[in-house]
mmCIF file of all heavy atoms in Angstrom:
data_model
loop_
_atom_site.group_PDB
_atom_site.id
_atom_site.type_symbol
_atom_site.label_atom_id
_atom_site.label_comp_id
_atom_site.label_asym_id
_atom_site.label_seq_id
_atom_site.Cartn_x
_atom_site.Cartn_y
_atom_site.Cartn_z
ATOM 1 N N TYR T 1 101.737 104.425 84.754
ATOM 2 C CA TYR T 1 101.976 105.633 85.466
ATOM 3 C C TYR T 1 100.720 106.567 85.393
ATOM 4 O O TYR T 1 99.901 106.393 84.543
ATOM 5 C CB TYR T 1 103.133 106.358 84.857
ATOM 6 C CG TYR T 1 104.469 105.705 85.003
ATOM 7 C CD1 TYR T 1 104.905 104.791 84.071
ATOM 8 C CD2 TYR T 1 105.318 105.982 86.116
ATOM 9 C CE1 TYR T 1 106.144 104.192 84.202
ATOM 10 C CE2 TYR T 1 106.503 105.347 86.228
ATOM 11 C CZ TYR T 1 106.951 104.469 85.316
ATOM 12 O OH TYR T 1 108.161 103.866 85.479
ATOM 13 N N ALA T 2 100.611 107.442 86.448
ATOM 14 C CA ALA T 2 99.433 108.249 86.456
ATOM 15 C C ALA T 2 99.346 109.195 85.279
ATOM 16 O O ALA T 2 98.183 109.600 84.949
ATOM 17 C CB ALA T 2 99.450 109.080 87.747
ATOM 18 N N CYS T 3 100.426 109.566 84.682
ATOM 19 C CA CYS T 3 100.430 110.560 83.647
ATOM 20 C C CYS T 3 101.570 110.318 82.651
ATOM 21 O O CYS T 3 102.633 109.964 83.136
ATOM 22 C CB CYS T 3 100.546 111.943 84.242
ATOM 23 S SG CYS T 3 100.706 113.340 83.079
ATOM 24 N N PRO T 4 101.386 110.609 81.358
ATOM 25 C CA PRO T 4 102.497 110.390 80.423
ATOM 26 C C PRO T 4 103.643 111.324 80.697
ATOM 27 O O PRO T 4 104.778 111.076 80.307
ATOM 28 C CB PRO T 4 101.854 110.775 79.057
ATOM 29 C CG PRO T 4 100.375 110.627 79.232
ATOM 30 C CD PRO T 4 100.062 110.912 80.696
ATOM 31 N N PHE T 5 103.421 112.431 81.434
ATOM 32 C CA PHE T 5 104.512 113.379 81.720
ATOM 33 C C PHE T 5 105.107 113.148 83.087
ATOM 34 O O PHE T 5 105.986 113.942 83.492
ATOM 35 C CB PHE T 5 103.917 114.836 81.682
ATOM 36 C CG PHE T 5 103.427 115.253 80.393
ATOM 37 C CD1 PHE T 5 102.082 115.297 80.087
ATOM 38 C CD2 PHE T 5 104.238 115.565 79.382
ATOM 39 C CE1 PHE T 5 101.539 115.686 78.873
ATOM 40 C CE2 PHE T 5 103.791 115.968 78.064
ATOM 41 C CZ PHE T 5 102.405 115.979 77.838
ATOM 42 N N ALA T 6 104.721 112.085 83.785
ATOM 43 C CA ALA T 6 105.199 111.822 85.139
ATOM 44 C C ALA T 6 105.751 110.461 85.236
ATOM 45 O O ALA T 6 105.296 109.574 86.035
ATOM 46 C CB ALA T 6 104.036 111.987 86.146
ATOM 47 N N ILE T 7 106.773 110.149 84.402
ATOM 48 C CA ILE T 7 107.416 108.805 84.431
ATOM 49 C C ILE T 7 108.435 108.862 85.555
ATOM 50 O O ILE T 7 109.621 109.246 85.341
ATOM 51 C CB ILE T 7 108.054 108.515 83.055
ATOM 52 C CG1 ILE T 7 106.966 108.492 82.006
ATOM 53 C CG2 ILE T 7 108.705 107.083 83.104
ATOM 54 C CD1 ILE T 7 107.505 108.282 80.579
ATOM 55 N N HIS T 8 107.999 108.496 86.710
ATOM 56 C CA HIS T 8 108.872 108.515 87.880
ATOM 57 C C HIS T 8 108.219 107.536 88.877
ATOM 58 O O HIS T 8 107.012 107.366 88.919
ATOM 59 C CB HIS T 8 108.883 109.933 88.522
ATOM 60 C CG HIS T 8 109.874 110.019 89.658
ATOM 61 N ND1 HIS T 8 109.610 109.667 90.980
ATOM 62 C CD2 HIS T 8 111.152 110.493 89.724
ATOM 63 C CE1 HIS T 8 110.652 109.846 91.741
ATOM 64 N NE2 HIS T 8 111.649 110.403 90.980
ATOM 65 N N GLU T 9 109.123 106.873 89.701
ATOM 66 C CA GLU T 9 108.592 105.844 90.576
ATOM 67 C C GLU T 9 107.527 106.366 91.563
ATOM 68 O O GLU T 9 106.685 105.560 91.985
ATOM 69 C CB GLU T 9 109.748 105.271 91.384
ATOM 70 C CG GLU T 9 110.555 106.293 92.204
ATOM 71 C CD GLU T 9 111.772 105.693 92.788
ATOM 72 O OE1 GLU T 9 112.189 104.554 92.392
ATOM 73 O OE2 GLU T 9 112.389 106.351 93.673
ATOM 74 N N GLN T 10 107.508 107.660 91.837
ATOM 75 C CA GLN T 10 106.520 108.194 92.739
ATOM 76 C C GLN T 10 105.094 108.109 92.112
ATOM 77 O O GLN T 10 104.082 108.132 92.817
ATOM 78 C CB GLN T 10 106.853 109.610 93.114
ATOM 79 C CG GLN T 10 105.857 110.250 94.147
ATOM 80 C CD GLN T 10 106.401 111.452 94.868
ATOM 81 O OE1 GLN T 10 107.621 111.500 95.134
ATOM 82 N NE2 GLN T 10 105.623 112.426 95.146
ATOM 83 N N PHE T 11 105.016 108.113 90.780
ATOM 84 C CA PHE T 11 103.725 108.057 90.082
ATOM 85 C C PHE T 11 103.487 106.705 89.407
ATOM 86 O O PHE T 11 102.633 106.626 88.561
ATOM 87 C CB PHE T 11 103.635 109.271 89.098
ATOM 88 C CG PHE T 11 103.862 110.542 89.731
ATOM 89 C CD1 PHE T 11 105.045 111.275 89.601
ATOM 90 C CD2 PHE T 11 102.849 111.132 90.514
ATOM 91 C CE1 PHE T 11 105.246 112.486 90.171
ATOM 92 C CE2 PHE T 11 103.008 112.300 91.131
ATOM 93 C CZ PHE T 11 104.226 113.049 90.939
ATOM 94 N N LEU T 12 104.284 105.698 89.810
ATOM 95 C CA LEU T 12 104.042 104.355 89.309
ATOM 96 C C LEU T 12 102.928 103.666 90.080
ATOM 97 O O LEU T 12 103.086 103.451 91.307
ATOM 98 C CB LEU T 12 105.394 103.559 89.443
ATOM 99 C CG LEU T 12 105.333 102.091 89.000
ATOM 100 C CD1 LEU T 12 104.949 101.994 87.549
ATOM 101 C CD2 LEU T 12 106.719 101.459 89.226
ATOM 102 N N ALA T 13 101.917 103.270 89.426
ATOM 103 C CA ALA T 13 100.705 102.725 90.039
ATOM 104 C C ALA T 13 100.775 101.194 90.096
ATOM 105 O O ALA T 13 100.123 100.535 90.981
ATOM 106 C CB ALA T 13 99.441 103.205 89.369
ATOM 107 N N GLY T 14 101.452 100.565 89.227
ATOM 108 C CA GLY T 14 101.527 99.098 89.179
ATOM 109 C C GLY T 14 102.035 98.611 87.806
ATOM 110 O O GLY T 14 102.573 99.401 87.010
ATOM 111 N N ASN T 15 101.972 97.355 87.574
ATOM 112 C CA ASN T 15 102.399 96.719 86.355
ATOM 113 C C ASN T 15 101.375 95.768 85.831
ATOM 114 O O ASN T 15 100.846 94.948 86.621
ATOM 115 C CB ASN T 15 103.744 96.000 86.596
ATOM 116 C CG ASN T 15 104.319 95.364 85.326
ATOM 117 O OD1 ASN T 15 103.939 94.269 84.945
ATOM 118 N ND2 ASN T 15 105.224 96.087 84.653
ATOM 119 N N ILE T 16 101.093 95.816 84.535
ATOM 120 C CA ILE T 16 100.038 95.056 83.949
ATOM 121 C C ILE T 16 100.254 93.577 84.087
ATOM 122 O O ILE T 16 99.392 92.797 84.227
ATOM 123 C CB ILE T 16 99.909 95.506 82.422
ATOM 124 C CG1 ILE T 16 99.194 96.831 82.417
ATOM 125 C CG2 ILE T 16 99.142 94.453 81.629
ATOM 126 C CD1 ILE T 16 99.009 97.420 80.997
ATOM 127 N N VAL T 17 101.552 93.157 83.900
ATOM 128 C CA VAL T 17 101.810 91.734 83.969
ATOM 129 C C VAL T 17 101.866 91.233 85.423
ATOM 130 O O VAL T 17 101.259 90.227 85.757
ATOM 131 C CB VAL T 17 103.236 91.421 83.307
ATOM 132 C CG1 VAL T 17 103.620 89.976 83.445
ATOM 133 C CG2 VAL T 17 103.231 91.893 81.813
ATOM 134 N N ARG T 18 102.518 91.940 86.271
ATOM 135 C CA ARG T 18 102.696 91.530 87.638
ATOM 136 C C ARG T 18 101.405 91.597 88.478
ATOM 137 O O ARG T 18 101.132 90.750 89.332
ATOM 138 C CB ARG T 18 103.734 92.415 88.370
ATOM 139 C CG ARG T 18 104.063 92.109 89.757
ATOM 140 C CD ARG T 18 105.126 92.987 90.270
ATOM 141 N NE ARG T 18 104.716 94.388 90.348
ATOM 142 C CZ ARG T 18 105.192 95.406 89.708
ATOM 143 N NH1 ARG T 18 106.209 95.138 88.778
ATOM 144 N NH2 ARG T 18 104.763 96.601 89.795
ATOM 145 N N ASP T 19 100.493 92.543 88.157
ATOM 146 C CA ASP T 19 99.324 92.797 88.945
ATOM 147 C C ASP T 19 98.061 92.139 88.439
ATOM 148 O O ASP T 19 96.927 92.458 89.003
ATOM 149 C CB ASP T 19 99.079 94.302 89.138
ATOM 150 C CG ASP T 19 100.185 94.974 89.917
ATOM 151 O OD1 ASP T 19 100.779 94.317 90.795
ATOM 152 O OD2 ASP T 19 100.541 96.141 89.672
ATOM 153 N N ALA T 20 98.144 91.318 87.415
ATOM 154 C CA ALA T 20 96.958 90.615 86.962
ATOM 155 C C ALA T 20 96.436 89.684 88.031
ATOM 156 O O ALA T 20 97.224 89.025 88.763
ATOM 157 C CB ALA T 20 97.272 89.808 85.699
ATOM 158 N N LYS T 21 95.102 89.626 88.193
ATOM 159 C CA LYS T 21 94.468 88.743 89.179
ATOM 160 C C LYS T 21 93.447 87.829 88.506
ATOM 161 O O LYS T 21 93.036 88.158 87.369
ATOM 162 C CB LYS T 21 93.748 89.557 90.272
ATOM 163 C CG LYS T 21 94.682 90.472 91.038
ATOM 164 C CD LYS T 21 93.888 91.277 92.116
ATOM 165 C CE LYS T 21 94.813 92.124 92.907
ATOM 166 N NZ LYS T 21 93.989 92.956 93.951
ATOM 167 N N ASP T 22 93.005 86.817 89.230
ATOM 168 C CA ASP T 22 91.984 85.924 88.616
ATOM 169 C C ASP T 22 90.744 86.701 88.390
ATOM 170 O O ASP T 22 90.212 87.387 89.267
ATOM 171 C CB ASP T 22 91.697 84.765 89.628
ATOM 172 C CG ASP T 22 92.844 83.832 89.789
ATOM 173 O OD1 ASP T 22 93.717 83.785 88.890
ATOM 174 O OD2 ASP T 22 92.914 83.150 90.832
ATOM 175 N N GLY T 23 90.258 86.598 87.161
ATOM 176 C CA GLY T 23 89.021 87.258 86.763
ATOM 177 C C GLY T 23 89.134 88.784 86.479
ATOM 178 O O GLY T 23 88.195 89.438 86.116
ATOM 179 N N MET T 24 90.332 89.356 86.633
ATOM 180 C CA MET T 24 90.584 90.775 86.381
ATOM 181 C C MET T 24 91.977 90.928 85.785
ATOM 182 O O MET T 24 92.978 90.473 86.376
ATOM 183 C CB MET T 24 90.437 91.621 87.639
ATOM 184 C CG MET T 24 90.541 93.091 87.334
ATOM 185 S SD MET T 24 90.314 94.158 88.903
ATOM 186 C CE MET T 24 88.647 93.847 89.315
ATOM 187 N N GLY T 25 92.052 91.585 84.635
ATOM 188 C CA GLY T 25 93.352 91.782 83.942
ATOM 189 C C GLY T 25 94.188 92.790 84.745
ATOM 190 O O GLY T 25 93.709 93.511 85.618
ATOM 191 N N GLY T 26 95.448 92.787 84.367
ATOM 192 C CA GLY T 26 96.404 93.669 85.104
ATOM 193 C C GLY T 26 96.142 95.141 84.983
ATOM 194 O O GLY T 26 96.232 95.890 85.932
ATOM 195 N N PHE T 27 95.709 95.645 83.732
ATOM 196 C CA PHE T 27 95.389 97.017 83.644
ATOM 197 C C PHE T 27 94.174 97.447 84.502
ATOM 198 O O PHE T 27 94.155 98.423 85.187
ATOM 199 C CB PHE T 27 95.214 97.444 82.176
ATOM 200 C CG PHE T 27 94.871 98.880 82.072
ATOM 201 C CD1 PHE T 27 95.902 99.873 82.270
ATOM 202 C CD2 PHE T 27 93.589 99.325 81.729
ATOM 203 C CE1 PHE T 27 95.554 101.238 82.230
ATOM 204 C CE2 PHE T 27 93.306 100.690 81.631
ATOM 205 C CZ PHE T 27 94.296 101.618 81.866
ATOM 206 N N GLN T 28 93.115 96.641 84.378
ATOM 207 C CA GLN T 28 91.875 96.969 85.141
ATOM 208 C C GLN T 28 92.194 96.937 86.598
ATOM 209 O O GLN T 28 91.666 97.768 87.353
ATOM 210 C CB GLN T 28 90.833 95.917 84.786
ATOM 211 C CG GLN T 28 89.503 96.238 85.489
ATOM 212 C CD GLN T 28 88.369 95.267 85.144
ATOM 213 O OE1 GLN T 28 88.610 94.274 84.442
ATOM 214 N NE2 GLN T 28 87.194 95.518 85.598
ATOM 215 N N THR T 29 93.013 95.953 87.039
ATOM 216 C CA THR T 29 93.386 95.963 88.552
ATOM 217 C C THR T 29 94.009 97.227 88.920
ATOM 218 O O THR T 29 93.738 97.803 89.976
ATOM 219 C CB THR T 29 94.277 94.742 88.756
ATOM 220 O OG1 THR T 29 93.624 93.541 88.426
ATOM 221 C CG2 THR T 29 94.674 94.702 90.226
ATOM 222 N N VAL T 30 95.071 97.667 88.130
ATOM 223 C CA VAL T 30 95.780 98.870 88.437
ATOM 224 C C VAL T 30 94.855 100.062 88.440
ATOM 225 O O VAL T 30 94.871 100.843 89.350
ATOM 226 C CB VAL T 30 97.010 99.033 87.515
ATOM 227 C CG1 VAL T 30 97.657 100.336 87.786
ATOM 228 C CG2 VAL T 30 97.998 97.880 87.679
ATOM 229 N N TRP T 31 94.112 100.218 87.300
ATOM 230 C CA TRP T 31 93.293 101.419 87.154
ATOM 231 C C TRP T 31 92.251 101.527 88.264
ATOM 232 O O TRP T 31 91.986 102.693 88.742
ATOM 233 C CB TRP T 31 92.636 101.386 85.751
ATOM 234 C CG TRP T 31 91.757 102.588 85.554
ATOM 235 C CD1 TRP T 31 90.361 102.626 85.660
ATOM 236 C CD2 TRP T 31 92.147 103.900 85.218
ATOM 237 N NE1 TRP T 31 89.886 103.826 85.417
ATOM 238 C CE2 TRP T 31 90.909 104.687 85.164
ATOM 239 C CE3 TRP T 31 93.310 104.518 85.099
ATOM 240 C CZ2 TRP T 31 90.916 106.066 84.891
ATOM 241 C CZ3 TRP T 31 93.358 105.865 84.706
ATOM 242 C CH2 TRP T 31 92.155 106.687 84.622
ATOM 243 N N GLN T 32 91.624 100.442 88.643
ATOM 244 C CA GLN T 32 90.481 100.497 89.522
ATOM 245 C C GLN T 32 90.854 100.297 91.003
ATOM 246 O O GLN T 32 90.060 100.659 91.854
ATOM 247 C CB GLN T 32 89.449 99.456 89.145
ATOM 248 C CG GLN T 32 88.843 99.768 87.723
ATOM 249 C CD GLN T 32 87.747 98.834 87.357
ATOM 250 O OE1 GLN T 32 87.489 97.845 88.013
ATOM 251 N NE2 GLN T 32 87.123 99.046 86.181
ATOM 252 N N THR T 33 92.023 99.710 91.291
ATOM 253 C CA THR T 33 92.330 99.448 92.726
ATOM 254 C C THR T 33 93.645 99.955 93.252
ATOM 255 O O THR T 33 93.905 99.800 94.453
ATOM 256 C CB THR T 33 92.323 97.829 92.910
ATOM 257 O OG1 THR T 33 93.394 97.255 92.285
ATOM 258 C CG2 THR T 33 91.066 97.239 92.355
ATOM 259 N N SER T 34 94.495 100.538 92.455
ATOM 260 C CA SER T 34 95.801 100.958 92.908
ATOM 261 C C SER T 34 95.665 102.040 94.006
ATOM 262 O O SER T 34 94.844 102.897 93.842
ATOM 263 C CB SER T 34 96.712 101.398 91.849
ATOM 264 O OG SER T 34 96.369 102.752 91.367
ATOM 265 N N GLU T 35 96.541 101.977 94.987
ATOM 266 C CA GLU T 35 96.510 102.983 96.058
ATOM 267 C C GLU T 35 96.781 104.369 95.486
ATOM 268 O O GLU T 35 96.185 105.340 95.958
ATOM 269 C CB GLU T 35 97.523 102.593 97.145
ATOM 270 C CG GLU T 35 97.155 101.316 97.949
ATOM 271 C CD GLU T 35 98.082 101.080 99.043
ATOM 272 O OE1 GLU T 35 98.963 101.944 99.313
ATOM 273 O OE2 GLU T 35 98.036 100.051 99.642
ATOM 274 N N LEU T 36 97.732 104.518 94.609
ATOM 275 C CA LEU T 36 98.102 105.812 94.024
ATOM 276 C C LEU T 36 96.843 106.456 93.348
ATOM 277 O O LEU T 36 96.583 107.575 93.575
ATOM 278 C CB LEU T 36 99.218 105.604 93.083
ATOM 279 C CG LEU T 36 99.582 106.916 92.309
ATOM 280 C CD1 LEU T 36 100.053 107.982 93.247
ATOM 281 C CD2 LEU T 36 100.603 106.610 91.208
ATOM 282 N N PHE T 37 96.192 105.659 92.502
ATOM 283 C CA PHE T 37 95.055 106.216 91.762
ATOM 284 C C PHE T 37 93.944 106.600 92.728
ATOM 285 O O PHE T 37 93.233 107.608 92.545
ATOM 286 C CB PHE T 37 94.597 105.305 90.706
ATOM 287 C CG PHE T 37 95.488 105.181 89.481
ATOM 288 C CD1 PHE T 37 95.289 104.315 88.463
ATOM 289 C CD2 PHE T 37 96.601 106.037 89.400
ATOM 290 C CE1 PHE T 37 96.083 104.250 87.354
ATOM 291 C CE2 PHE T 37 97.467 105.986 88.266
ATOM 292 C CZ PHE T 37 97.182 105.085 87.282
ATOM 293 N N GLN T 38 93.711 105.778 93.747
ATOM 294 C CA GLN T 38 92.686 106.091 94.724
ATOM 295 C C GLN T 38 93.000 107.407 95.433
ATOM 296 O O GLN T 38 92.117 108.233 95.731
ATOM 297 C CB GLN T 38 92.535 104.959 95.731
ATOM 298 C CG GLN T 38 92.048 103.623 95.153
ATOM 299 C CD GLN T 38 90.755 103.703 94.430
ATOM 300 O OE1 GLN T 38 89.829 104.380 94.876
ATOM 301 N NE2 GLN T 38 90.710 103.159 93.199
ATOM 302 N N GLU T 39 94.253 107.593 95.700
ATOM 303 C CA GLU T 39 94.709 108.789 96.390
ATOM 304 C C GLU T 39 94.493 110.089 95.502
ATOM 305 O O GLU T 39 94.013 111.060 95.925
ATOM 306 C CB GLU T 39 96.212 108.727 96.795
ATOM 307 C CG GLU T 39 96.704 109.966 97.495
ATOM 308 C CD GLU T 39 98.218 109.841 97.810
ATOM 309 O OE1 GLU T 39 98.712 108.692 97.714
ATOM 310 O OE2 GLU T 39 98.825 110.855 98.147
ATOM 311 N N LEU T 40 94.842 109.856 94.227
ATOM 312 C CA LEU T 40 94.714 110.989 93.281
ATOM 313 C C LEU T 40 93.234 111.367 93.050
ATOM 314 O O LEU T 40 92.890 112.507 92.745
ATOM 315 C CB LEU T 40 95.360 110.680 91.943
ATOM 316 C CG LEU T 40 96.882 110.586 91.914
ATOM 317 C CD1 LEU T 40 97.369 110.040 90.546
ATOM 318 C CD2 LEU T 40 97.525 111.946 92.189
ATOM 319 N N ARG T 41 92.364 110.377 93.229
ATOM 320 C CA ARG T 41 90.925 110.656 93.024
ATOM 321 C C ARG T 41 90.214 111.162 94.279
ATOM 322 O O ARG T 41 89.069 111.488 94.214
ATOM 323 C CB ARG T 41 90.240 109.363 92.552
ATOM 324 C CG ARG T 41 90.740 108.928 91.190
ATOM 325 C CD ARG T 41 90.352 107.480 90.879
ATOM 326 N NE ARG T 41 91.023 106.996 89.691
ATOM 327 C CZ ARG T 41 91.152 105.713 89.280
ATOM 328 N NH1 ARG T 41 90.562 104.779 90.015
ATOM 329 N NH2 ARG T 41 91.766 105.376 88.222
ATOM 330 N N SER T 42 90.908 111.180 95.398
ATOM 331 C CA SER T 42 90.308 111.700 96.586
ATOM 332 C C SER T 42 90.454 113.246 96.610
ATOM 333 O O SER T 42 91.196 113.831 95.863
ATOM 334 C CB SER T 42 91.065 111.121 97.828
ATOM 335 O OG SER T 42 92.379 111.515 97.867
ATOM 336 N N PRO T 43 89.606 113.920 97.374
ATOM 337 C CA PRO T 43 89.674 115.362 97.452
ATOM 338 C C PRO T 43 91.087 115.831 97.757
ATOM 339 O O PRO T 43 91.774 115.382 98.639
ATOM 340 C CB PRO T 43 88.708 115.678 98.611
ATOM 341 C CG PRO T 43 87.714 114.538 98.638
ATOM 342 C CD PRO T 43 88.570 113.307 98.283
ATOM 343 N N GLN T 44 91.527 116.774 96.856
ATOM 344 C CA GLN T 44 92.901 117.256 97.012
ATOM 345 C C GLN T 44 92.955 118.649 97.666
ATOM 346 O O GLN T 44 92.061 119.454 97.409
ATOM 347 C CB GLN T 44 93.555 117.390 95.622
ATOM 348 C CG GLN T 44 93.538 116.023 94.877
ATOM 349 C CD GLN T 44 94.514 115.039 95.445
ATOM 350 O OE1 GLN T 44 95.678 115.302 95.701
ATOM 351 N NE2 GLN T 44 93.975 113.790 95.708
ATOM 352 N N THR T 45 94.028 118.896 98.387
ATOM 353 C CA THR T 45 94.247 120.258 98.838
ATOM 354 C C THR T 45 95.236 120.924 97.942
ATOM 355 O O THR T 45 96.130 120.289 97.364
ATOM 356 C CB THR T 45 94.900 120.217 100.234
ATOM 357 O OG1 THR T 45 96.132 119.512 100.282
ATOM 358 C CG2 THR T 45 93.907 119.550 101.312
ATOM 359 N N SER T 46 95.064 122.151 97.739
ATOM 360 C CA SER T 46 96.028 122.946 96.860
ATOM 361 C C SER T 46 96.625 124.084 97.520
ATOM 362 O O SER T 46 97.032 125.060 96.957
ATOM 363 C CB SER T 46 95.232 123.379 95.603
ATOM 364 O OG SER T 46 94.762 122.312 94.814
ATOM 365 N N GLY T 47 96.861 123.967 98.834
ATOM 366 C CA GLY T 47 97.601 124.945 99.638
ATOM 367 C C GLY T 47 97.115 126.258 99.388
ATOM 368 O O GLY T 47 95.870 126.599 99.326
ATOM 369 N N ALA T 48 98.034 127.242 99.256
ATOM 370 C CA ALA T 48 97.697 128.658 99.124
ATOM 371 C C ALA T 48 96.966 128.949 97.859
ATOM 372 O O ALA T 48 96.257 129.938 97.732
ATOM 373 C CB ALA T 48 99.002 129.454 99.177
#
């Protein structure tokens, strides 16, 4: 999950076991390539 305080499916980036790839472990895959984390690292708007 993106944050310890955000345990909700909306902030679920992936799973270490399910998302492991050849040459890259599951956590590294999620941390470096997940769509959610890429979105959170992009410039954010904060409205008003």
Side-chain angles (χ1 to χ4, degrees):
Y1 293 89
C3 171
F5 298 104
I7 303 177
H8 188 279
E9 58 189 12
Q10 183 161 326
F11 302 105
L12 176 60
N15 181 276
I16 285 176
V17 178
R18 184 178 63 246
D19 294 329
K21 298 179 180 179
D22 292 338
M24 185 180 293
F27 179 71
Q28 184 177 6
T29 299
V30 174
W31 178 260
Q32 296 182 356
T33 69
S34 78
E35 291 183 10
L36 173 65
F37 286 175
Q38 296 304 315
E39 180 182 348
L40 290 172
R41 294 164 191 166
S42 63
Q44 303 289 309
T45 60
S46 295

